[in-house]
Structure formats: structure tokens, C-alpha cells
Amino acid sequence: MSETTYDTEIPAYLRPPRTLVMGVLNVTPNSFSDGGRWFDTDAAIAHGQSMLSSGADLIDVGGESTAPGNDAVSVAEEIDRVAPVISALAGQGALISCDTMHAETARAAWKAGAKIINDVSGGMVDSEMFSVVAEIMGENPEVSYLCQHWRGHLKDANRLAVYENPHLEVWQELRERLEVMRERGDIDLRRVIIDPGLGFSKQGDQDWDVLANLDTYLGRGFPVLVGPSRKRFLADYETHTVERHARDDVTASLAFFCALKGAWAVRVHQVEPVVVGIRALEKLKEFHEPRTVL
């Protein structure tokens, strides 16, 4: 199959000098991790600004919780939740991603100023998603699409989490979604980011297997986002503190691992310790020399 030639340049944010830190901003009343603390629009905007001040490179704004047991919200409600937050933060110069599985929300988010469409379903929930992605990519050369591995909603996680070789099967299924986009011919694959989807259709050791084998995804020519933050598979590594979520310490450690491996970005709730860790990693690189044999 011949490759399509595109006239546009790849956005600079897809070619960063180091791993980026994506701050999670849930504009929902029922998030599994923050219990709706940022559901109010003003509170959400203030929290986004706080994460940016702490060093976040971009903010991922979502208006629908994908946690098990939560009901779906209408597209109109989702748009009402995220659009004003995206508009306010993008208007201040922030790079914004919108976490949505719905094509109309993706279009509204782009119009509000989002540059990245973060679709945890990889285009499997809304059959119009790829068409809208192609449309907005054609309108704006700065727009990219984040395609996550997905087998179904988290309510079906136990039934769907069946693998013989998790990291390889996840890549094979991601590749199928990429091939669908390639065959369409109207989506610029240079502006597609992939995410192995920790915690989605996976359990326990399956997540660890995917994470430990990031090279499976990193060598494929696509920027790789990894989102370990506060996921269920980290429950055995909780640290009980008043100030932080119980899984933030192990999240920061794994985010550092992802940065060390060369991930494009890590998606986290607690920004500051991850930013500090990546800064330290960049400092180490200044002094690293290739191994020499004496």
C-alpha cells in the first residue's frame, strides 16, 4: 500500500525534546480519582491553571467518567461541561487535549481550542469519529488524534481481559485501528498518537506486562502516551497520606520509568512530582556518556 504525502508539518508538540506531562482534568461529578472536585467550571479552570503552574505541558479535559458503574452522559451535557473549560485554558495559551469518545464532542472541543482528541475507544464507540478527525485535521495542521487500545467499557473489564500475551495482543489490536485509518486515506497518520490503555480491558499483571514492555509500542513510529495514574493495578503500592492520593507515589515512579524509556507523554493527576522527576532525568542525560571499554 502506498503512503499518502501530506503538505503540512508535524506539530512541534509531537516532537518534544523530552517526555511531556499531561495533567488530568475531570469535569465530572463522579470521577473515580477525585470525586467531582473539579465539576464546577470555575473550579475546573482554576485547577487546570494550577497544574500548568506546576509544570504540566498540556491539560487533558474530560466530561464523562469511564469508571465502572457510571452512566453515560449525553453528548450535549459532555460538551456543556468541557467546552467552557477548554475555551478558557486554550485562550490563555495552554495546549489542550479533550478526552472524549464522541465525534460531536471532538468537533466542539476543537472549536473551543483543543488541539488533541484523546479517544479512549480508538474510534470504536462512535462510527463518525474518524470522519470528524479527518475533517478537523484538514482544517487545522496543529490537530492530532490520540488512539487508545480498547476492547469495551470498563463494566465489561473482567470478561474482556483475556490475553495469552498482553503486550503483543494490545499492539496487534492498536495496529488494526491504525490500519483502518490508513485505508481511509484522509487521516494524517503522522499526527496520530498511540496509547496502550493501561486499566482498560486489562487487569493486574496484564497491565504490568504492557508497562514493562513499552518497547513494543515505542519502536513503531508513533508518539506514545502512557497513563498509569491511580489505576487499579497499583493498589498494592498505595501510600496513605493526607495530602495526596494513595497511588500518587507509585504513579510518579512509573511515570519516571516511562520517561526513561522514551514515552512521548505521561498522563497524571498529580503533576508536580512527575515534572520534578523528568527534570532530574534530563539533568542526568547532560552527563551521560556512551559506555567505553578500557
Side-chain angles (χ1 to χ4, degrees), residues 124-170:
M124 296 176 70
V125 163
D126 190 332
S127 62
E128 294 301 311
M129 179 61 86
F130 287 171
S131 294
V132 169
V133 168
E135 171 194 330
I136 62 180
M137 276 188 174
E139 291 286 338
N140 190 329
E142 289 292 306
V143 169
S144 60
Y145 175 66
L146 206 167
C147 179
Q148 185 193 276
H149 175 259
W150 163 275
R151 283 184 172 179
H153 292 280
L154 290 184
K155 65 181 180 179
D156 299 318
N158 292 342
R159 178 176 60 83
L160 297 172
V162 179
Y163 301 86
E164 291 186 8
N165 194 330
H167 65 277
L168 287 179
E169 291 173 58
V170 167

Side-chain angles (χ1 to χ4, degrees), residues 275-294:
V275 169
V276 170
I278 291 176
R279 282 178 54 198
L281 175 60
E282 292 306 301
K283 188 67 177 178
L284 286 171
K285 289 179 180 179
E286 293 179 18
F287 294 90
H288 174 71
E289 295 181 4
R291 182 180 178 184
T292 56
V293 179
L294 299 179

Side-chain angles (χ1 to χ4, degrees), residues 23-73:
V24 180
L25 182 51
N26 296 310
V27 192
T28 63
N30 51 3
S31 167
F32 84 95
S33 69
D34 56 46
R37 292 179 65 189
W38 322 118
F39 184 47
D40 175 79
T41 298
D42 290 339
I45 294 169
H47 185 52
Q49 292 168 331
S50 175
M51 288 191 287
L52 291 166
S53 296
S54 295
D57 298 291
L58 63 162
I59 303 296
D60 189 41
V61 181
E64 179 180 17
S65 175
T66 55
N70 289 331
D71 295 328
V73 301

Side-chain angles (χ1 to χ4, degrees), residues 9-17 20 142 264:
E9 295 293 327
I10 300 173
Y13 67 79
L14 292 180
R15 298 177 280 107
L20 302 180
E142 289 292 306
W264 167 74

Side-chain angles (χ1 to χ4, degrees), residues 32-284:
F32 84 95
S33 69
D34 56 46
R37 292 179 65 189
W38 322 118
F39 184 47
D40 175 79
T41 298
D42 290 339
I45 294 169
H47 185 52
Q49 292 168 331
S50 175
M51 288 191 287
L52 291 166
S53 296
S54 295
D57 298 291
L58 63 162
I59 303 296
D60 189 41
V61 181
E64 179 180 17
S65 175
T66 55
N70 289 331
D71 295 328
V73 301
S74 69
V75 170
E77 173 67 17
E78 185 184 28
I79 292 172
D80 285 345
R81 292 176 181 182
V82 302
V85 178
I86 292 171
S87 180
L89 294 173
Q92 297 168 12
L95 175 61
I96 302 298
S97 165
C98 181
D99 180 352
T100 184
M101 299 180 286
H102 306 292
E104 285 307 309
T105 304
R107 182 184 282 112
W110 165 62
K111 289 181 178 179
K115 295 291 180 62
I116 302 171
I117 305 304
N118 178 11
D119 179 5
V120 301
S121 79
M124 296 176 70
V125 163
D126 190 332
S127 62
E128 294 301 311
M129 179 61 86
F130 287 171
S131 294
V132 169
V133 168
E135 171 194 330
I136 62 180
M137 276 188 174
E139 291 286 338
N140 190 329
E142 289 292 306
V143 169
S144 60
Y145 175 66
L146 206 167
C147 179
Q148 185 193 276
H149 175 259
W150 163 275
R151 283 184 172 179
H153 292 280
L154 290 184
K155 65 181 180 179
D156 299 318
N158 292 342
R159 178 176 60 83
L160 297 172
V162 179
Y163 301 86
E164 291 186 8
N165 194 330
H167 65 277
L168 287 179
E169 291 173 58
V170 167
W171 164 244
Q172 290 164 2
E173 290 168 27
L174 269 174
R175 184 171 58 185
E176 290 171 4
R177 304 310 298 161
L178 294 167
E179 189 59 28
V180 170
M181 285 184 269
R182 188 188 305 277
E183 289 178 354
R184 288 179 56 95
D186 56 359
I187 292 177
D188 186 348
L189 290 181
R190 301 174 309 157
R191 291 188 273 158
V192 173
I193 305 156
I194 60 174
D195 178 353
L198 297 175
F200 286 83
S201 310
K202 303 169 192 69
Q203 299 184 85
D205 285 350
Q206 295 166 346
D207 287 302
W208 286 108
D209 179 82
V210 168
L211 191 56
N213 292 282
L214 281 183
D215 289 342
T216 302
Y217 316 97
L218 292 167
R220 306 294 184 174
F222 297 90
V224 177
L225 173 78
V226 189
S229 192
R230 300 179 180 177
K231 294 294 176 68
R232 291 172 296 168
F233 76 100
L234 305 181
D236 290 341
Y237 299 87
E238 293 181 351
T239 54
H240 298 283
T241 62
V242 175
E243 298 83 5
R244 300 187 305 277
H245 189 283
R247 299 176 191 171
D248 281 343
D249 288 343
V250 64
T251 293
S253 297
L254 294 179
F256 184 86
F257 168 78
C258 295
L260 187 64
K261 297 294 289 185
W264 167 74
V266 287
R267 182 180 183 274
V268 297
H269 296 81
Q270 186 71 18
V271 165
E272 192 165 16
V274 177
V275 169
V276 170
I278 291 176
R279 282 178 54 198
L281 175 60
E282 292 306 301
K283 188 67 177 178
L284 286 171

